[in-house]
Coordinates of all heavy atoms in Angstrom, one line a residue:
Q9 N -29.0 -52.4 -15.9 CA -27.6 -52.2 -15.9 C -27.2 -52.3 -14.4 O -27.7 -51.6 -13.5 CB -27.2 -50.9 -16.5 CG -25.7 -50.7 -16.6 CD -25.4 -49.5 -17.4 OE1 -26.0 -48.4 -17.1 NE2 -24.6 -49.6 -18.4
T10 N -26.1 -53.0 -14.1 CA -25.6 -53.1 -12.8 C -24.7 -52.0 -12.4 O -24.3 -51.2 -13.3 CB -24.8 -54.4 -12.6 OG1 -23.6 -54.3 -13.4 CG2 -25.6 -55.7 -13.0
I11 N -24.5 -51.8 -11.1 CA -23.6 -50.7 -10.7 C -22.2 -50.9 -11.2 O -21.6 -50.0 -11.7 CB -23.6 -50.7 -9.1 CG1 -25.0 -50.4 -8.6 CG2 -22.6 -49.6 -8.6 CD1 -25.6 -49.0 -9.0
A12 N -21.7 -52.2 -11.3 CA -20.4 -52.4 -11.8 C -20.3 -52.1 -13.3 O -19.3 -51.5 -13.7 CB -20.1 -53.9 -11.6
E13 N -21.4 -52.4 -14.0 CA -21.4 -52.0 -15.5 C -21.4 -50.5 -15.6 O -20.7 -49.9 -16.4 CB -22.6 -52.6 -16.2 CG -22.5 -54.1 -16.3 CD -23.8 -54.7 -16.8 OE1 -24.9 -54.0 -16.5 OE2 -23.8 -55.7 -17.4
E14 N -22.1 -49.8 -14.7 CA -22.2 -48.4 -14.8 C -20.8 -47.8 -14.4 O -20.4 -46.8 -15.1 CB -23.3 -47.9 -13.8 CG -23.5 -46.4 -13.9 CD -24.6 -45.9 -13.1 OE1 -25.8 -46.4 -13.3 OE2 -24.4 -45.1 -12.2
D15 N -20.2 -48.3 -13.4 CA -18.9 -47.8 -13.0 C -17.8 -48.0 -14.1 O -17.0 -47.1 -14.3 CB -18.4 -48.6 -11.8 CG -19.0 -48.1 -10.5 OD1 -19.7 -47.0 -10.5 OD2 -18.9 -48.8 -9.5
S16 N -17.9 -49.1 -14.9 CA -16.9 -49.3 -15.9 C -17.0 -48.3 -17.0 O -16.1 -48.0 -17.7 CB -17.0 -50.8 -16.5 OG -18.2 -50.9 -17.2
R17 N -18.2 -47.8 -17.2 CA -18.4 -46.8 -18.3 C -17.6 -45.5 -18.0 O -17.1 -44.9 -18.9 CB -19.9 -46.4 -18.4 CG -20.8 -47.4 -19.0 CD -22.2 -47.0 -19.2 NE -22.6 -46.0 -18.3 CZ -23.8 -45.5 -18.2 NH1 -24.7 -45.9 -19.1 NH2 -24.2 -44.6 -17.3
W18 N -17.4 -45.2 -16.7 CA -16.7 -44.0 -16.4 C -15.2 -44.2 -16.8 O -14.5 -43.2 -17.2 CB -16.8 -43.7 -14.9 CG -18.1 -43.2 -14.5 CD1 -19.2 -43.9 -14.0 CD2 -18.5 -41.8 -14.4 NE1 -20.2 -43.0 -13.8 CE2 -19.8 -41.7 -14.0 CE3 -17.8 -40.6 -14.7 CZ2 -20.5 -40.5 -13.8 CZ3 -18.5 -39.4 -14.6 CH2 -19.8 -39.4 -14.1
D19 N -14.7 -45.4 -16.6 CA -13.3 -45.7 -16.9 C -13.0 -45.5 -18.4 O -11.9 -45.2 -18.8 CB -12.9 -47.1 -16.5 CG -13.0 -47.3 -15.0 OD1 -12.9 -46.2 -14.3 OD2 -13.2 -48.4 -14.6
D20 N -14.0 -45.7 -19.3 CA -13.8 -45.7 -20.7 C -14.0 -44.3 -21.3 O -13.7 -44.1 -22.5 CB -14.8 -46.6 -21.4 CG -14.6 -48.1 -21.0 OD1 -13.4 -48.4 -20.6 OD2 -15.5 -48.9 -21.0
L21 N -14.3 -43.3 -20.5 CA -14.5 -42.0 -21.1 C -13.2 -41.3 -21.4 O -12.3 -41.3 -20.6 CB -15.3 -41.1 -20.1 CG -16.8 -41.5 -19.9 CD1 -17.4 -40.6 -18.8 CD2 -17.6 -41.4 -21.2
P22 N -13.2 -40.6 -22.5 CA -12.0 -39.8 -22.8 C -12.0 -38.5 -22.0 O -13.1 -38.1 -21.5 CB -12.1 -39.5 -24.3 CG -13.6 -39.5 -24.5 CD -14.1 -40.6 -23.6
P23 N -10.9 -37.8 -21.9 CA -10.9 -36.5 -21.1 C -11.9 -35.6 -21.8 O -11.9 -35.5 -23.1 CB -9.5 -36.0 -21.3 CG -8.7 -37.2 -21.6 CD -9.6 -38.2 -22.3
V24 N -12.7 -34.9 -21.1 CA -13.6 -33.9 -21.6 C -13.6 -32.6 -20.9 O -13.1 -32.5 -19.7 CB -15.1 -34.5 -21.6 CG1 -15.2 -35.7 -22.4 CG2 -15.5 -34.8 -20.2
N25 N -14.1 -31.6 -21.5 CA -14.2 -30.3 -20.8 C -15.5 -30.1 -20.1 O -15.6 -29.2 -19.3 CB -14.0 -29.1 -21.8 CG -12.5 -29.1 -22.3 OD1 -11.6 -29.4 -21.6 ND2 -12.4 -28.7 -23.6
G26 N -16.5 -30.8 -20.5 CA -17.8 -30.7 -19.9 C -18.8 -31.8 -20.4 O -18.5 -32.4 -21.4
V27 N -19.8 -32.0 -19.6 CA -20.8 -33.0 -20.0 C -22.2 -32.4 -19.7 O -22.4 -31.6 -18.8 CB -20.6 -34.3 -19.2 CG1 -19.3 -35.0 -19.7 CG2 -20.7 -34.2 -17.8
M28 N -23.2 -33.0 -20.3 CA -24.6 -32.6 -20.1 C -25.3 -33.8 -19.4 O -25.2 -34.9 -19.9 CB -25.3 -32.3 -21.3 CG -26.7 -31.8 -21.1 SD -27.5 -31.3 -22.6 CE -29.1 -31.8 -22.3
I29 N -25.8 -33.6 -18.2 CA -26.4 -34.7 -17.4 C -27.8 -34.4 -17.0 O -28.3 -35.1 -16.1 CB -25.5 -35.0 -16.2 CG1 -25.3 -33.7 -15.4 CG2 -24.2 -35.6 -16.6 CD1 -24.7 -34.0 -14.1
G30 N -28.4 -33.4 -17.5 CA -29.7 -32.9 -17.0 C -30.8 -33.9 -16.7 O -31.2 -34.1 -15.6
R31 N -31.2 -34.7 -17.8 CA -32.3 -35.7 -17.6 C -31.9 -36.8 -16.6 O -32.6 -37.2 -15.8 CB -32.7 -36.2 -18.9 CG -34.0 -36.9 -18.8 CD -34.6 -37.2 -20.2 NE -35.1 -36.0 -20.8 CZ -35.3 -35.8 -22.1 NH1 -34.9 -36.7 -23.0 NH2 -35.7 -34.7 -22.6
E32 N -30.6 -37.2 -16.7 CA -30.2 -38.3 -15.8 C -30.1 -37.8 -14.3 O -30.5 -38.5 -13.4 CB -28.8 -38.8 -16.2 CG -28.3 -39.9 -15.4 CD -29.1 -41.3 -15.6 OE1 -29.9 -41.3 -16.5 OE2 -28.7 -42.2 -15.0
A33 N -29.7 -36.6 -14.2 CA -29.7 -36.0 -12.8 C -31.1 -35.8 -12.2 O -31.3 -36.0 -11.0 CB -28.9 -34.6 -12.8
W34 N -32.0 -35.5 -13.1 CA -33.4 -35.4 -12.6 C -34.0 -36.7 -12.3 O -34.6 -36.9 -11.2 CB -34.3 -34.7 -13.7 CG -35.7 -34.5 -13.3 CD1 -36.7 -35.3 -13.6 CD2 -36.2 -33.6 -12.3 NE1 -37.9 -34.8 -13.0 CE2 -37.6 -33.8 -12.2 CE3 -35.6 -32.5 -11.6 CZ2 -38.4 -33.0 -11.4 CZ3 -36.4 -31.8 -10.8 CH2 -37.8 -32.0 -10.7
N35 N -33.8 -37.7 -13.1 CA -34.3 -39.1 -12.9 C -33.6 -39.9 -11.8 O -34.3 -40.6 -11.1 CB -34.3 -39.9 -14.2 CG -35.3 -39.3 -15.2 OD1 -36.3 -38.7 -14.9 ND2 -35.0 -39.5 -16.5
R36 N -32.3 -39.7 -11.7 CA -31.5 -40.5 -10.7 C -30.5 -39.5 -10.1 O -29.3 -39.6 -10.4 CB -30.8 -41.6 -11.4 CG -31.7 -42.7 -11.9 CD -31.0 -43.8 -12.5 NE -29.6 -43.5 -12.8 CZ -28.7 -44.4 -12.9 NH1 -28.9 -45.7 -12.8 NH2 -27.4 -44.1 -13.1
P37 N -30.9 -38.6 -9.3 CA -30.0 -37.6 -8.7 C -28.8 -38.2 -8.0 O -27.7 -37.6 -7.9 CB -30.8 -36.8 -7.8 CG -32.0 -37.6 -7.5 CD -32.2 -38.5 -8.7
W38 N -28.9 -39.4 -7.5 CA -27.8 -40.0 -6.7 C -26.7 -40.3 -7.6 O -25.5 -40.5 -7.1 CB -28.3 -41.3 -6.0 CG -27.4 -41.7 -4.9 CD1 -26.6 -42.8 -4.9 CD2 -27.1 -41.0 -3.7 NE1 -25.8 -42.8 -3.8 CE2 -26.2 -41.7 -3.0 CE3 -27.6 -39.8 -3.1 CZ2 -25.7 -41.3 -1.8 CZ3 -27.1 -39.5 -1.9 CH2 -26.2 -40.2 -1.2
V39 N -26.9 -40.4 -8.9 CA -25.8 -40.6 -9.8 C -24.7 -39.5 -9.7 O -23.5 -39.8 -10.0 CB -26.2 -40.7 -11.3 CG1 -26.6 -39.3 -11.9 CG2 -25.3 -41.4 -12.2
L40 N -25.0 -38.4 -9.1 CA -24.1 -37.3 -8.9 C -23.3 -37.4 -7.6 O -22.4 -36.7 -7.3 CB -24.8 -36.0 -9.0 CG -25.4 -35.6 -10.3 CD1 -26.1 -34.3 -10.2 CD2 -24.3 -35.6 -11.4
S41 N -23.7 -38.4 -6.8 CA -23.1 -38.5 -5.4 C -21.6 -38.7 -5.4 O -20.9 -38.3 -4.5 CB -23.8 -39.6 -4.6 OG -23.6 -40.8 -5.2
D42 N -21.1 -39.4 -6.4 CA -19.7 -39.6 -6.5 C -19.0 -38.8 -7.6 O -17.8 -39.2 -8.0 CB -19.4 -41.1 -6.7 CG -19.6 -42.0 -5.5 OD1 -19.5 -41.4 -4.4 OD2 -20.0 -43.2 -5.6
V43 N -19.6 -37.8 -8.0 CA -19.0 -37.0 -9.1 C -17.6 -36.5 -8.8 O -16.7 -36.4 -9.6 CB -19.9 -35.9 -9.6 CG1 -20.0 -34.8 -8.6 CG2 -19.5 -35.4 -11.0
D44 N -17.4 -36.0 -7.5 CA -16.1 -35.5 -7.1 C -15.0 -36.6 -7.2 O -13.9 -36.3 -7.6 CB -16.2 -34.9 -5.7 CG -17.0 -33.6 -5.7 OD1 -17.1 -33.0 -6.7 OD2 -17.5 -33.3 -4.6
V45 N -15.4 -37.8 -6.8 CA -14.4 -38.9 -6.9 C -14.2 -39.3 -8.3 O -13.0 -39.5 -8.8 CB -14.9 -40.1 -6.0 CG1 -14.0 -41.3 -6.2 CG2 -15.0 -39.7 -4.6
R46 N -15.2 -39.6 -9.1 CA -15.1 -40.1 -10.4 C -14.6 -39.2 -11.4 O -13.8 -39.5 -12.3 CB -16.5 -40.6 -10.9 CG -17.0 -41.8 -10.1 CD -18.3 -42.2 -10.6 NE -18.8 -43.4 -10.0 CZ -19.9 -44.0 -10.3 NH1 -20.6 -43.7 -11.4 NH2 -20.3 -45.1 -9.7
V47 N -15.0 -37.9 -11.4 CA -14.7 -37.0 -12.4 C -13.5 -36.1 -12.0 O -12.6 -35.9 -12.8 CB -15.9 -36.1 -12.8 CG1 -15.5 -35.0 -13.8 CG2 -17.0 -37.0 -13.3
F48 N -13.5 -35.7 -10.7 CA -12.5 -34.7 -10.3 C -11.3 -35.3 -9.6 O -10.4 -34.6 -9.1 CB -13.1 -33.6 -9.5 CG -14.2 -32.8 -10.3 CD1 -15.5 -32.9 -10.0 CD2 -13.8 -32.0 -11.4 CE1 -16.5 -32.2 -10.7 CE2 -14.7 -31.4 -12.1 CZ -16.1 -31.5 -11.8
G49 N -11.3 -36.6 -9.4 CA -10.2 -37.3 -8.8 C -10.1 -37.2 -7.3 O -9.0 -37.4 -6.7
E50 N -11.1 -36.7 -6.6 CA -11.0 -36.6 -5.1 C -10.8 -38.0 -4.5 O -11.2 -39.0 -5.1 CB -12.3 -36.0 -4.5 CG -12.5 -34.6 -4.9 CD -11.5 -33.6 -4.4 OE1 -11.1 -33.8 -3.2 OE2 -11.2 -32.7 -5.1
K51 N -10.1 -38.0 -3.4 CA -9.8 -39.3 -2.7 C -11.0 -40.0 -2.2 O -11.1 -41.2 -2.1 CB -8.8 -39.1 -1.6 CG -7.5 -38.5 -2.0 CD -6.7 -39.5 -2.8 CE -5.3 -39.0 -3.1 NZ -4.9 -39.4 -4.4
R52 N -12.0 -39.3 -1.7 CA -13.2 -39.9 -1.1 C -14.4 -39.0 -1.2 O -14.3 -37.8 -1.5 CB -13.0 -40.2 0.4 CG -12.8 -39.1 1.3 CD -12.5 -39.5 2.7 NE -12.3 -38.4 3.5 CZ -13.2 -37.8 4.2 NH1 -14.5 -38.2 4.2 NH2 -13.0 -36.7 5.0
N53 N -15.6 -39.5 -1.1 CA -16.8 -38.8 -1.2 C -17.1 -38.3 0.2 O -17.3 -39.0 1.2 CB -17.9 -39.7 -1.7 CG -19.3 -39.0 -1.8 OD1 -19.4 -37.9 -1.3 ND2 -20.2 -39.6 -2.4
T54 N -17.2 -37.0 0.3 CA -17.5 -36.4 1.7 C -19.0 -36.0 1.8 O -19.4 -35.3 2.7 CB -16.7 -35.1 1.9 OG1 -17.0 -34.2 0.8 CG2 -15.2 -35.4 1.9
G55 N -19.8 -36.5 0.8 CA -21.2 -36.2 0.8 C -22.0 -36.8 1.9 O -21.5 -37.6 2.7
R56 N -23.3 -36.5 1.9 CA -24.2 -37.1 2.9 C -25.0 -38.3 2.3 O -25.0 -38.5 1.1 CB -25.2 -36.0 3.2 CG -24.5 -34.8 3.9 CD -25.4 -33.7 4.2 NE -25.9 -33.2 2.9 CZ -26.9 -32.4 2.7 NH1 -27.6 -32.1 3.8 NH2 -27.3 -32.0 1.5
S57 N -25.6 -39.0 3.2 CA -26.4 -40.2 2.8 C -27.7 -39.7 2.2 O -28.2 -38.6 2.4 CB -26.7 -41.1 4.0 OG -27.6 -40.5 4.9
R58 N -28.4 -40.7 1.5 CA -29.7 -40.4 1.0 C -30.7 -40.0 2.1 O -31.5 -39.1 1.9 CB -30.3 -41.6 0.2 CG -29.6 -41.8 -1.1 CD -30.2 -43.1 -1.7 NE -29.8 -43.3 -3.1 CZ -28.9 -44.2 -3.4 NH1 -28.4 -45.0 -2.5 NH2 -28.6 -44.4 -4.7
R59 N -30.6 -40.7 3.2 CA -31.4 -40.4 4.3 C -31.2 -38.9 4.8 O -32.2 -38.2 5.1 CB -31.2 -41.4 5.4 CG -32.1 -41.1 6.6 CD -31.9 -42.1 7.7 NE -32.8 -41.8 8.8 CZ -33.9 -42.5 9.1 NH1 -34.3 -43.5 8.3 NH2 -34.7 -42.2 10.1
Q60 N -30.0 -38.5 4.9 CA -29.7 -37.2 5.4 C -30.2 -36.1 4.4 O -30.8 -35.1 4.8 CB -28.2 -37.0 5.6 CG -27.6 -37.7 6.7 CD -26.1 -37.8 6.7 OE1 -25.5 -37.9 5.6 NE2 -25.5 -37.6 7.8
I61 N -30.1 -36.4 3.1 CA -30.6 -35.5 2.1 C -32.1 -35.4 2.2 O -32.6 -34.3 2.2 CB -30.1 -36.0 0.7 CG1 -28.6 -35.8 0.6 CG2 -30.9 -35.2 -0.4 CD1 -28.0 -36.4 -0.7
L62 N -32.7 -36.5 2.4 CA -34.2 -36.5 2.5 C -34.7 -35.8 3.7 O -35.6 -35.0 3.7 CB -34.7 -38.0 2.5 CG -36.2 -38.2 2.4 CD1 -36.7 -37.5 1.1 CD2 -36.5 -39.7 2.4
E63 N -34.0 -36.0 4.9 CA -34.3 -35.3 6.1 C -34.2 -33.7 5.9 O -35.0 -33.0 6.3 CB -33.5 -35.7 7.3 CG -33.9 -37.1 7.7 CD -32.9 -37.7 8.7 OE1 -31.8 -37.1 9.0 OE2 -33.2 -38.8 9.3
D64 N -33.1 -33.3 5.3 CA -32.9 -31.9 5.0 C -34.0 -31.4 4.0 O -34.5 -30.2 4.2 CB -31.5 -31.6 4.4 CG -30.4 -31.8 5.4 OD1 -30.7 -31.9 6.6 OD2 -29.2 -31.9 4.9
Y65 N -34.3 -32.2 3.1 CA -35.3 -31.8 2.1 C -36.7 -31.6 2.7 O -37.4 -30.7 2.4 CB -35.4 -32.7 0.9 CG -36.2 -32.2 -0.2 CD1 -35.7 -31.3 -1.1 CD2 -37.6 -32.6 -0.4 CE1 -36.5 -30.8 -2.1 CE2 -38.3 -32.1 -1.4 CZ -37.8 -31.2 -2.3 OH -38.6 -30.7 -3.3
V66 N -37.0 -32.4 3.7 CA -38.3 -32.3 4.4 C -38.3 -31.0 5.1 O -39.3 -30.3 5.1 CB -38.5 -33.5 5.4 CG1 -39.6 -33.2 6.4 CG2 -38.8 -34.8 4.6
C67 N -37.2 -30.6 5.8 CA -37.2 -29.3 6.5 C -37.3 -28.2 5.5 O -38.1 -27.2 5.8 CB -35.8 -29.2 7.3 SG -35.7 -30.3 8.6
Y68 N -36.7 -28.3 4.4 CA -36.8 -27.2 3.3 C -38.2 -27.1 2.9 O -38.8 -26.0 2.8 CB -35.9 -27.6 2.2 CG -36.2 -26.8 0.9 CD1 -35.9 -25.5 0.8 CD2 -36.9 -27.5 -0.1 CE1 -36.2 -24.8 -0.4 CE2 -37.2 -26.8 -1.3 CZ -36.8 -25.5 -1.4 OH -37.1 -24.8 -2.6
A69 N -38.9 -28.2 2.6 CA -40.3 -28.2 2.1 C -41.2 -27.7 3.1 O -42.1 -26.9 2.8 CB -40.7 -29.6 1.7
E70 N -41.0 -28.0 4.4 CA -41.8 -27.4 5.4 C -41.7 -25.9 5.5 O -42.7 -25.2 5.7 CB -41.5 -28.1 6.8 CG -42.0 -29.5 6.9 CD -41.5 -30.2 8.1 OE1 -40.6 -29.8 8.8 OE2 -42.1 -31.3 8.4
R71 N -40.5 -25.4 5.4 CA -40.2 -24.0 5.4 C -40.9 -23.3 4.3 O -41.5 -22.2 4.4 CB -38.7 -23.6 5.4 CG -38.0 -23.8 6.8 CD -36.7 -23.2 6.8 NE -35.8 -23.4 5.6 CZ -35.0 -24.5 5.5 NH1 -34.9 -25.4 6.5 NH2 -34.3 -24.7 4.4
L72 N -40.8 -23.9 3.1 CA -41.4 -23.4 1.9 C -42.9 -23.3 2.0 O -43.5 -22.3 1.7 CB -40.9 -24.2 0.7 CG -41.2 -23.6 -0.7 CD1 -40.5 -22.3 -0.9 CD2 -40.8 -24.6 -1.8
Q73 N -43.4 -24.4 2.5 CA -44.9 -24.5 2.7 C -45.4 -23.4 3.7 O -46.4 -22.7 3.5 CB -45.3 -25.9 3.2 CG -46.8 -26.0 3.4 CD -47.6 -25.9 2.1 OE1 -47.0 -26.2 1.0 NE2 -48.8 -25.6 2.2
D74 N -44.6 -23.2 4.8 CA -45.0 -22.2 5.7 C -45.0 -20.8 5.1 O -45.8 -19.9 5.3 CB -44.0 -22.2 6.9 CG -44.2 -23.4 7.8 OD1 -45.2 -24.0 7.7 OD2 -43.3 -23.6 8.6
E75 N -44.0 -20.5 4.2 CA -43.9 -19.2 3.5 C -45.2 -19.1 2.6 O -45.8 -18.0 2.6 CB -42.7 -19.2 2.6 CG -41.4 -18.9 3.4 CD -40.2 -18.9 2.5 OE1 -40.3 -18.6 1.3 OE2 -39.1 -19.2 3.0
Y76 N -45.5 -20.1 1.9 CA -46.7 -20.0 1.0 C -48.0 -19.7 1.8 O -48.8 -18.9 1.5 CB -46.9 -21.3 0.2 CG -46.0 -21.3 -1.1 CD1 -44.8 -22.0 -1.1 CD2 -46.5 -20.6 -2.2 CE1 -44.1 -22.0 -2.3 CE2 -45.7 -20.6 -3.4 CZ -44.5 -21.3 -3.4 OH -43.8 -21.3 -4.5
V77 N -48.1 -20.5 2.9 CA -49.3 -20.3 3.8 C -49.3 -18.9 4.4 O -50.4 -18.2 4.4 CB -49.3 -21.4 4.9 CG1 -50.4 -21.0 5.9 CG2 -49.6 -22.7 4.3
S78 N -48.2 -18.4 4.8 CA -48.2 -17.0 5.4 C -48.5 -16.0 4.4 O -49.0 -14.9 4.8 CB -46.8 -16.8 6.1 OG -45.8 -16.6 5.1
E79 N -48.2 -16.2 3.1 CA -48.5 -15.3 2.1 C -49.9 -15.5 1.5 O -50.3 -14.8 0.5 CB -47.5 -15.4 1.0 CG -46.1 -15.0 1.4 CD -45.0 -15.3 0.4 OE1 -45.4 -15.8 -0.7 OE2 -43.9 -15.1 0.7
G80 N -50.7 -16.5 2.0 CA -52.0 -16.8 1.6 C -52.0 -17.5 0.2 O -53.1 -17.5 -0.4
R81 N -50.9 -18.1 -0.1 CA -50.9 -18.9 -1.4 C -51.0 -20.4 -1.1 O -50.7 -20.8 0.0 CB -49.6 -18.6 -2.1 CG -49.5 -17.1 -2.5 CD -48.3 -16.9 -3.4 NE -47.0 -17.3 -2.7 CZ -45.9 -17.4 -3.3 NH1 -45.8 -17.2 -4.6 NH2 -44.8 -17.8 -2.7
R82 N -51.4 -21.1 -2.1 CA -51.4 -22.6 -2.0 C -50.4 -23.1 -3.0 O -50.1 -22.6 -4.0 CB -52.8 -23.1 -2.5 CG -53.9 -22.6 -1.5 CD -55.2 -23.2 -1.8 NE -55.1 -24.7 -1.8 CZ -56.0 -25.5 -2.3 NH1 -57.1 -25.0 -2.9 NH2 -55.9 -26.8 -2.2
H83 N -49.8 -24.2 -2.5 CA -48.8 -24.9 -3.3 C -49.1 -26.3 -3.4 O -49.4 -26.9 -2.4 CB -47.4 -24.6 -2.7 CG -46.3 -24.9 -3.6 ND1 -45.6 -26.1 -3.6 CD2 -45.7 -24.1 -4.6 CE1 -44.6 -26.0 -4.6 NE2 -44.7 -24.9 -5.2
N84 N -49.0 -26.9 -4.6 CA -49.3 -28.3 -4.8 C -48.2 -29.2 -4.2 O -47.0 -29.0 -4.5 CB -49.5 -28.6 -6.3 CG -50.1 -29.9 -6.5 OD1 -49.8 -30.9 -5.8 ND2 -50.8 -30.0 -7.6
I85 N -48.6 -30.1 -3.4 CA -47.6 -31.0 -2.7 C -46.7 -31.8 -3.7 O -45.6 -32.1 -3.5 CB -48.2 -32.0 -1.7 CG1 -47.2 -32.6 -0.8 CG2 -49.1 -33.0 -2.4 CD1 -46.5 -31.8 0.2
R86 N -47.3 -32.1 -4.9 CA -46.6 -32.8 -5.9 C -45.3 -32.0 -6.4 O -44.3 -32.7 -6.7 CB -47.5 -33.0 -7.2 CG -48.4 -34.2 -6.9 CD -49.3 -34.4 -8.1 NE -50.4 -33.4 -7.9 CZ -51.4 -33.3 -8.8 NH1 -51.4 -34.0 -9.9 NH2 -52.4 -32.4 -8.5
E87 N -45.3 -30.7 -6.3 CA -44.2 -29.9 -6.6 C -43.0 -30.2 -5.7 O -41.9 -30.0 -6.0 CB -44.5 -28.5 -6.7 CG -45.5 -28.1 -7.8 CD -45.0 -28.6 -9.2 OE1 -43.9 -28.3 -9.5 OE2 -45.9 -29.1 -9.9
Y88 N -43.4 -30.5 -4.4 CA -42.3 -30.8 -3.4 C -41.7 -32.2 -3.7 O -40.6 -32.5 -3.4 CB -42.8 -30.8 -2.0 CG -43.4 -29.4 -1.6 CD1 -44.7 -29.3 -1.1 CD2 -42.5 -28.3 -1.6 CE1 -45.1 -28.1 -0.7 CE2 -43.0 -27.1 -1.2 CZ -44.3 -27.0 -0.7 OH -44.8 -25.8 -0.3
I89 N -42.6 -33.1 -4.1 CA -42.2 -34.5 -4.2 C -41.4 -34.8 -5.5 O -40.4 -35.6 -5.5 CB -43.5 -35.4 -4.3 CG1 -44.3 -35.2 -3.0 CG2 -43.1 -36.9 -4.4 CD1 -43.7 -35.6 -1.8
K90 N -41.6 -34.1 -6.6 CA -41.0 -34.4 -7.8 C -39.4 -34.4 -7.7 O -38.8 -35.4 -8.3 CB -41.3 -33.3 -8.9 CG -42.6 -33.6 -9.6 CD -42.7 -32.5 -10.7 CE -44.1 -32.4 -11.2 NZ -44.2 -31.3 -12.2
P91 N -38.8 -33.5 -7.1 CA -37.3 -33.5 -7.1 C -36.7 -34.7 -6.3 O -35.5 -35.0 -6.5 CB -37.0 -32.2 -6.4 CG -38.1 -31.3 -6.6 CD -39.3 -32.2 -6.5
I92 N -37.5 -35.4 -5.5 CA -36.9 -36.5 -4.8 C -37.4 -37.9 -5.3 O -37.0 -38.9 -4.7 CB -37.2 -36.3 -3.3 CG1 -38.7 -36.3 -3.0 CG2 -36.4 -35.2 -2.7 CD1 -39.0 -36.3 -1.5
F93 N -38.2 -37.9 -6.3 CA -38.6 -39.2 -6.8 C -37.5 -40.2 -7.1 O -37.6 -41.3 -6.8 CB -39.4 -39.0 -8.1 CG -40.9 -38.8 -7.9 CD1 -41.6 -38.1 -8.8 CD2 -41.6 -39.4 -6.8 CE1 -43.0 -37.9 -8.7 CE2 -42.9 -39.2 -6.7 CZ -43.6 -38.5 -7.6
G94 N -36.5 -39.7 -7.7 CA -35.4 -40.6 -8.2 C -34.3 -40.8 -7.1 O -33.3 -41.5 -7.4
L95 N -34.4 -40.3 -6.0 CA -33.3 -40.3 -5.0 C -33.0 -41.8 -4.6 O -31.8 -42.1 -4.4 CB -33.7 -39.6 -3.7 CG -32.7 -39.4 -2.7 CD1 -31.5 -38.6 -3.3 CD2 -33.2 -38.6 -1.5
F96 N -33.9 -42.7 -4.6 CA -33.6 -44.1 -4.3 C -33.7 -45.0 -5.5 O -33.8 -46.2 -5.4 CB -34.6 -44.6 -3.2 CG -34.3 -43.9 -1.9 CD1 -35.0 -42.7 -1.5 CD2 -33.4 -44.5 -1.0 CE1 -34.7 -42.1 -0.3 CE2 -33.1 -43.8 0.2 CZ -33.8 -42.7 0.6
A97 N -33.6 -44.4 -6.7 CA -33.6 -45.2 -8.0 C -32.5 -46.2 -7.9 O -31.4 -45.9 -7.5 CB -33.4 -44.3 -9.2
L98 N -32.8 -47.4 -8.4 CA -31.8 -48.5 -8.5 C -31.5 -49.2 -7.1 O -30.7 -50.1 -7.0 CB -30.5 -48.2 -9.2 CG -30.7 -47.7 -10.6 CD1 -29.3 -47.4 -11.2 CD2 -31.4 -48.7 -11.5
E99 N -32.1 -48.6 -6.1 CA -31.9 -49.2 -4.7 C -33.0 -50.3 -4.5 O -34.1 -50.1 -4.9 CB -32.0 -48.2 -3.6 CG -30.9 -47.3 -3.6 CD -29.6 -48.0 -3.2 OE1 -29.6 -48.5 -2.1 OE2 -28.6 -48.0 -3.9
E100 N -32.7 -51.4 -3.9 CA -33.7 -52.4 -3.5 C -34.7 -51.7 -2.7 O -34.5 -51.1 -1.7 CB -33.0 -53.5 -2.8 CG -34.0 -54.7 -2.6 CD -33.3 -55.9 -2.0 OE1 -32.1 -56.1 -2.3 OE2 -33.9 -56.6 -1.2
G101 N -36.0 -51.9 -3.1 CA -37.1 -51.3 -2.4 C -37.3 -49.8 -2.7 O -38.2 -49.2 -2.1
G102 N -36.4 -49.3 -3.5 CA -36.5 -47.8 -3.8 C -37.7 -47.5 -4.7 O -38.2 -46.4 -4.7

């Protein structure tokens, strides 16, 4: 599905009080990047780029790892990677 096709789906939605997006948000978290514009009618997206998010996440993961090490616990690196797997979904080279 192209981005244009995906965008047109938003236009066809009736007014709703809520939606469930759990699995889609997990698999393709970037789908939420324009939620304020698409759903709430904001004029522009004030969010950060994927790169900025990834850089912040690396800092978070390093802090978390340091906490685990200082407490003498081990943490599987896969647990850090899972939440960012889909960050570049649908992007060329992603």
Side-chain angles (χ1 to χ4, degrees):
Q9 187 171 51
T10 68
I11 299 296
E13 290 169 336
E14 187 174 302
D15 284 347
S16 70
R17 290 188 327 188
W18 286 92
D19 297 334
D20 297 334
L21 291 175
V24 296
N25 290 329
V27 294
M28 185 176 145
I29 56 171
R31 199 169 280 159
E32 185 69 4
W34 181 257
N35 292 330
R36 294 183 345 159
W38 197 251
V39 76
L40 297 176
S41 66
D42 284 333
V43 73
D44 290 336
V45 174
R46 292 180 178 189
V47 176
F48 300 111
E50 294 293 324
K51 299 286 185 216
R52 64 186 181 90
N53 181 348
T54 60
R56 296 173 299 162
S57 71
R58 286 178 172 105
R59 182 181 180 98
Q60 290 168 320
I61 290 169
L62 192 55
E63 289 171 352
D64 289 347
Y65 190 79
V66 166
C67 292
Y68 163 76
E70 287 173 344
R71 282 194 314 271
L72 193 60
Q73 182 64 25
D74 289 344
E75 287 178 25
Y76 276 100
V77 169
S78 70
E79 295 170 2
R81 298 186 301 166
R82 293 184 61 193
H83 198 262
N84 192 325
I85 192 70
R86 283 179 274 179
E87 297 301 316
Y88 298 123
I89 303 295
K90 277 187 199 179
I92 58 172
F93 269 151
L95 188 59
F96 291 91
L98 300 182
E99 288 293 301
E100 188 173 327

